[in-house]
Every structure is written in C-alpha cells, then in structure tokens.
Amino acid sequence: MGKLVALVLLGVGLSLVGEMFLAFRERMSASREVEPVEPENCRLIEELENGSEDIDILPSGLAFISSGLKYPGLPNFAPDEPGKIFMMDLNEQNPRAQALEISGGFDKELFNPHGISIFIDKDRTVYLYVVNHPHMKSTVEIFKFEEQQRSLVYLKTIKHELLKSVNDIVVLGPEQFYATRDHYFTNSFLSLFEMILDLRWTYVLFYSPREVKVVAKGFCSANGITVSADQKYVYVADVAAKNIHIMEKHNNWDLTQLKVIQLGTLVDNLTVDPATGDILAGCHPNPMKLLIYNPEDPPGSEVLRIQNVLSEKPRVSTVYANNGSVLQGTSVASVYRGKILIGTVFHKTLYCEL
C-alpha cells in the first residue's frame, strides 16, 4: 500500500512539474518567430563583437556601452576576456566605438559590467554607475568621466546585502539610485527553477548612503529600469512576465504602481526617447534560444516603441525585428537625434539612421 501511495504521489508530482515546464516554455515564447522589420540605413559596429548589454547616451550624443557580460546560462563568445565600457560619438558621420581606459586602481580583470546609468552633477561633471559582477557577485561601481581624455576614473564600489542579483540601475542623485534584482536565488540552477515555478520574489530597491529599502516587489524577474524625462515616473521591465510596470515616484523615493503594459515578448532594458518621452524596449522574442543556444538556429531580436505611456491605450510599434541572421539577443535600444543604437547581451551592435 505504501509503495502504491508513493507511486501515485510521484506520478502527481511529475505531472505537475511537466505542466509547469510546459507553462514555462509558453512564457518563454519557445516557438515564436518574428517578421523582419529592418530600417534601410543600418550597419554593424565592428569594434563591438562581444555584446553591448546596456547603452546610455549623454545629451551631447556621447554613448556609453557596457560590453562583455558573463551571465550564468547565457552564451559568451569571449569568456576569458574582461568586460569593457565603450564609447561612441553619435554626432560623427560614421561613428566608431572605442574602449575607455579606466584608471584609479580599479581591478579591470574582474570587470563584468551589466546595467549602466549616467548621472550629471550640478557642476556638469559626468559620472557613470555600472552594475558589476566580480566572481558573479553584485556591486555598483562609480566612475568619473574625463571627456578630454575619453577615459574613466574609478571612484568607489558600493556593496549592500540587498544588492544581490542586480540587473539594472537608474541614478537620480549623487549615490542615489534605483536598482532591480532579477533573481531571488543566486545559484544558477535554483534561479532557473524559480522561473519555472513562476515565483515572484524579485524587487526594485532604492539606495542612498542614508537609506536602503525595497520600494516595489512581486516581480517574476525585475530587469531593465529607467525614469521619465521629468523624473516623476519610473519604468520597470519584468522580463519573464512580458510587461512594463509604470510606477509613480514619491518624495520619499517610494514607488506606487499605476499600470502594467503587456507586450507579449520578453522585455529587457528600457530607455526613454528624450525628444518624445516614448519608451524603447530591447526584447527577446524567443528566449529559449538564448538558454539553449544553437548558432544554426539563433535567438532573434526585437525593439519596441511604446508611445503615450500614461494614456489608457498606449501605442506599441515595432522599430526593429530580426530572426537572428543579423542581430541575436537584443537587450537594449537607445536613440539620439534620429539615430538608434541596438545592443545585445552577447552578440553584435547595430547602428541605424531612422
């Protein structure tokens, strides 16, 4: 009798696991393909071959690009090379990328950059905040940008017990930022199991030297984060839930959810078009191909524009879509005066004139 009960329980358990895995495959859009949408004036950036996971652009047109991310479970074409920060001047007729030198005693061999965010101080000094994963931990590095030398000066590393599995960051003041946690578990196997079970244990936190707190929670996998041009609203991508959360920012830095925009594709990093206030989202149309990488059947790329974000019916349109023949695993898109840079987790970078 005991063996029969055990067999029944085992069968029920396997059935539930099977159902959850099928649901997970559906959430991961395992069978989805994209119809190509490709602007005419596009070219790949030769210097960026190992990813451009996040991009942030100064009002002057200088673009910062994080490259070389090593992330558990995802492809990497240069596993022995440290990550780098690149720069492009989008005012140039044919902009090229150059790696920025880093001084100040920073350990460049352990550099594993993820999300980035620019902060311009009152004296117009430019600082670059970078999510870093040395030894697969999470820290936030602060650099000062020296424009004349086109270099970065290392200033400080921020660590905190709540800064775990950090994905992205948006800086709103001196050492004041929001950051997303994309997994609750730091173990790669458990984090995959977490996504299969659809646990919603990740969050957005606020950090300052005086206070660190969770300000929004209940995300399946909080990913890209950015802020509206007037800094009244914070936009958070929940990659596995295929949506963007529109949050109102309060004076005490707390966030209140106003609405959720469903997109039907896995949303990675977010940027805001400074000319229109639209959100641009780098998306993964078939992320199972990221997790199980096959160069003969690569993951596709997708960039969406979301207009009228605060209205009852935001308008969603496709800016770029490719089946992986040109660009694989898009993570971000950022615009400047009719030009767009499209970055990827591990692959190449595309520059287009719209």
Side-chain angles (χ1 to χ4, degrees):
M1 184 66 179
K3 291 182 179 179
L4 179 60
V5 171
L7 286 173
V8 170
L9 292 176
L10 178 61
V12 171
L14 291 173
S15 176
L16 289 174
V17 170
E19 289 180 7
M20 286 188 292
F21 183 72
L22 290 174
F24 172 69
R25 280 181 55 86
E26 178 64 26
R27 293 200 308 277
M28 293 294 105
S29 304
S31 60
R32 181 171 177 246
E33 299 295 337
V34 295
E35 293 294 327
V37 177
E38 300 178 359
E40 292 183 3
N41 300 314
C42 293
R43 65 177 177 89
L44 294 170
I45 303 301
E46 294 180 3
E47 299 82 4
L48 291 167
E49 298 286 338
N50 299 315
S52 41
E53 204 282 336
D54 203 7
I55 299 170
D56 205 358
I57 304 177
L58 283 169
S60 64
L62 295 179
F64 293 88
I65 304 159
S66 68
S67 180
L69 174 66
K70 298 165 187 66
Y71 193 89
L74 296 182
N76 185 282
F77 294 154
D80 298 325
E81 293 184 18
K84 298 177 181 178
I85 300 296
F86 284 83
M87 167 162 285
M88 292 180 63
D89 187 346
L90 300 183
N91 296 294
E92 295 176 356
Q93 186 172 358
N94 294 298
R96 300 176 65 90
Q98 67 176 90
L100 296 180
E101 290 293 326
I102 300 177
S103 61
F106 181 69
D107 191 343
K108 291 178 279 190
E109 292 301 313
L110 293 178
F111 198 27
N112 188 10
H114 202 163
I116 62 175
S117 181
I118 296 167
F119 174 66
I120 305 173
D121 212 341
K122 293 179 180 178
D123 62 0
R124 304 188 69 80
T125 301
V126 175
Y127 298 91
L128 182 69
Y129 287 61
V130 182
V131 176
N132 187 22
H133 301 297
H135 301 297
M136 295 303 170
K137 305 294 184 182
S138 290
T139 61
V140 174
E141 316 292 353
I142 305 178
F143 301 95
K144 179 183 176 182
F145 175 54
E146 298 286 355
E147 185 169 357
Q148 295 299 321
Q149 293 79 18
R150 294 291 173 96
S151 64
L152 298 173
V153 179
Y154 167 67
L155 299 179
K156 184 177 182 179
T157 296
I158 295 176
K159 301 179 182 180
H160 193 274
E161 60 182 8
L162 289 178
L163 287 170
K164 294 180 179 179
S165 298
V166 180
N167 186 295
D168 198 13
I169 183 174
V170 59
V171 184
L172 299 181
E175 294 188 39
Q176 296 175 316
F177 57 81
Y178 293 107
T180 57
R181 179 174 183 171
D182 61 9
H183 288 93
Y184 180 81
F185 295 107
T186 54
N187 176 278
S188 57
F189 174 78
L190 290 177
S191 64
L192 178 60
F193 199 60
E194 169 189 344
M195 294 187 71
I196 292 174
L197 292 177
D198 196 23
L199 302 179
R200 296 177 179 266
W201 292 354
T202 71
Y203 53 70
V204 177
L205 67 84
F206 168 74
Y207 177 93
S208 74
R210 295 184 178 182
E211 182 182 29
V212 184
K213 60 182 178 179
V214 174
V215 292
K217 55 187 178 180
F219 301 92
C220 183
S221 182
N223 198 294
I225 186 168
T226 192
V227 66
S228 61
D230 59 10
Q231 297 197 355
K232 292 182 179 180
Y233 305 98
V234 173
Y235 308 140
V236 183
D238 190 340
V239 59
K242 305 180 184 179
N243 57 36
I244 298 174
H245 294 244
I246 311 301
M247 321 285 288
E248 183 178 7
K249 181 174 73 70
H250 300 287
N251 291 334
N252 64 354
W253 301 99
D254 285 349
L255 300 177
T256 300
Q257 181 172 291
L258 297 180
K259 63 190 298 185
V260 177
I261 302 175
Q262 296 292 338
L263 293 177
T265 186
L266 275 75
V267 193
D268 203 319
N269 288 321
L270 307 174
T271 64
V272 170
D273 185 337
T276 64
D278 301 343
I279 297 175
L280 286 126
C283 303
H284 303 289
N286 36 32
M288 284 296 287
K289 294 183 180 182
L290 273 175
L291 300 175
I292 308 172
Y293 182 72
N294 176 5
E296 301 300 320
D297 185 23
S301 290
E302 190 172 31
V303 175
L304 301 181
R305 178 184 288 271
I306 301 95
Q307 298 171 282
N308 305 319
V309 174
L310 298 174
S311 69
E312 291 185 4
K313 293 183 178 181
R315 182 173 181 267
V316 180
S317 58
T318 302
V319 176
Y320 179 83
N322 177 263
N323 62 7
S325 60
V326 176
L327 211 59
Q328 303 174 15
T330 289
S331 56
V332 65
S334 193
V335 295
Y336 173 77
R337 295 185 179 179
K339 305 167 185 178
I340 185 169
L341 272 178
I342 303 175
T344 65
V345 178
F346 65 93
H347 197 236
K348 301 179 181 182
T349 305
L350 195 68
Y351 167 80
C352 302
E353 295 180 1
L354 301 176

